[in-house]
Every structure is written in structure tokens, then in C-alpha cells.
Amino acid sequence: MKSKEELLKEFIGKAEAACANVIAVAGEPSSIKSALQKITEGENEILVSNPGIIERSFFEQIFDDAKYLKNFDKEKLRNAKTGIAPAVCGIASTGSVIVPITGDYTSYISMLVRNHIVILDGKNIVGKPRDLFDEGNENRFLKGSYSIITGPSATADMGPLVRGVHGPGKLHIIVTE
């Protein structure tokens, strides 16, 4: 069985190989906030989905700037360039993130914005997809709906590889160490 450090290293390598921009940071709000500021520099409105598994007080410390919209309507969603969603876990062997899509705008944010930012707790990385259903996880993943996201949207249906046709053209993953 791999250590958490080995899983994190493998996850980062695989996610980057799938063309995701991965930023590893310490698990404090200030570190996550700093990474977000770099990614979203120059943007005025960024949609933020329900924090899900992120502790509410932790969440509020990160998104205290007015440019982070936590309450928005469909019109804002239609015109948004960037959105942020929490991941419940990551898969090291594929570099994928698991994003909940139940009950709010998280699924729309993960598919409709040009730049998708995912925040992942590095302690929640499993080795392989089947590990999602190991003892302790089986009830968590059988009681909801999730998207498994590996890299930005890409297609080669009509010739050369094109990014961002069917979803976000950029995927940024902020993973805590």
C-alpha cells in the first residue's frame, strides 16, 4: 500500500500529464487563498459552489473577497469565465478529481465555465478508482452523484486535438499537502 505522500506525488504527475495545472499548497486558508489569487488575477467575478466537505469557517476565510460569488443566478452562470468547486477526493493512478454534483450549481460550474478550479484535500487521494469503494468509503460514494474529471475538456472528433469544446478549457487543481 502506498503512503499518502506517494499517492500525492503520483496524483500530481498524472493530473499534469492530463494537462491540468496543479498547485500543491499547505492546508491553511492563506495558502489556498494565495494560489487562488494567482490563478484568478485580473478577474472580477468567480463563481464558488457549495463548500460541500470543506469546513464552513475554513471556506469563509478563503472566499472573503467580493469577487468570489457564493450566491448567484443562472445569468451569472451563463456569463461566468471561472468557477470553483470542492473535490471529495482524487484518484492517483489517473490524476482525476471527484466532484459532487448533487443539489446545487456544482455540476454546472464543472462543465460550463472556461476555467475550472478544484480544491482537493491531499489526504483524500486514493490509489485507483476501485479504492473509492473500499471499507469506509463505500457508503459515501453510493449515496450521491459525482463527476470524475481528468484534465480539461478535450476532443479530437473532427481532426486535431482541441481543448475546451465540451467543457472547461483549463483545469486548475489546488491540492493541500
Side-chain angles (χ1 to χ4, degrees):
M1 181 166 211
K2 293 181 181 178
S3 70
K4 290 293 181 188
E5 293 79 22
E6 290 171 318
L7 289 172
L8 177 62
K9 185 177 179 180
E10 181 179 3
F11 172 83
I12 291 171
K14 296 290 184 163
E16 288 175 340
C19 296
N21 172 37
V22 182
I23 302 172
V25 300
E28 301 115 26
S30 61
S31 299
I32 296 169
K33 193 172 185 175
S34 177
L36 283 169
Q37 288 170 343
K38 288 178 188 173
I39 296 169
T40 64
E41 187 175 351
E43 294 191 44
N44 298 324
E45 292 185 336
I46 297 138
L47 304 185
V48 179
S49 72
N50 185 317
I53 64 167
I54 299 173
E55 184 182 320
R56 178 69 62 182
S57 63
F58 190 84
F59 179 80
E60 294 300 332
Q61 290 176 54
I62 297 168
F63 302 111
D64 60 354
D65 189 310
K67 75 178 184 177
Y68 298 113
L69 305 178
K70 293 169 263 188
N71 297 307
F72 50 87
D73 57 20
K74 289 181 182 178
E75 188 62 31
K76 291 281 187 196
L77 182 62
R78 181 177 295 120
N79 296 312
K81 292 180 184 172
T82 300
I84 301 170
V88 293
C89 74
I91 302 172
S93 66
T94 61
S96 304
V97 289
I98 312 296
V99 176
I101 59 169
T102 307
D104 64 7
Y105 287 113
T106 304
S107 62
Y108 298 111
I109 287 174
S110 71
M111 291 185 271
L112 299 178
V113 297
R114 304 306 308 145
N115 300 302
H116 184 204
I117 302 169
V118 177
I119 300 174
L120 170 65
D121 184 338
K123 292 179 266 181
N124 294 331
I125 296 175
V126 298
K128 298 181 179 182
R130 69 174 169 248
D131 298 337
L132 294 169
F133 303 100
D134 281 352
E135 190 174 323
N137 282 336
E138 69 274 1
N139 288 330
R140 182 168 78 168
F141 291 109
L142 293 176
K143 292 184 178 179
S145 297
Y146 302 91
S147 283
I148 299 175
I149 301 169
T150 308
S153 169
T155 186
D157 291 2
M158 304 297 283
L161 182 67
V162 179
R163 298 204 185 285
V165 174
H166 303 296
K170 294 182 181 174
L171 174 64
H172 304 274
I173 302 169
I174 300 172
V175 60
T176 62
E177 298 179 296

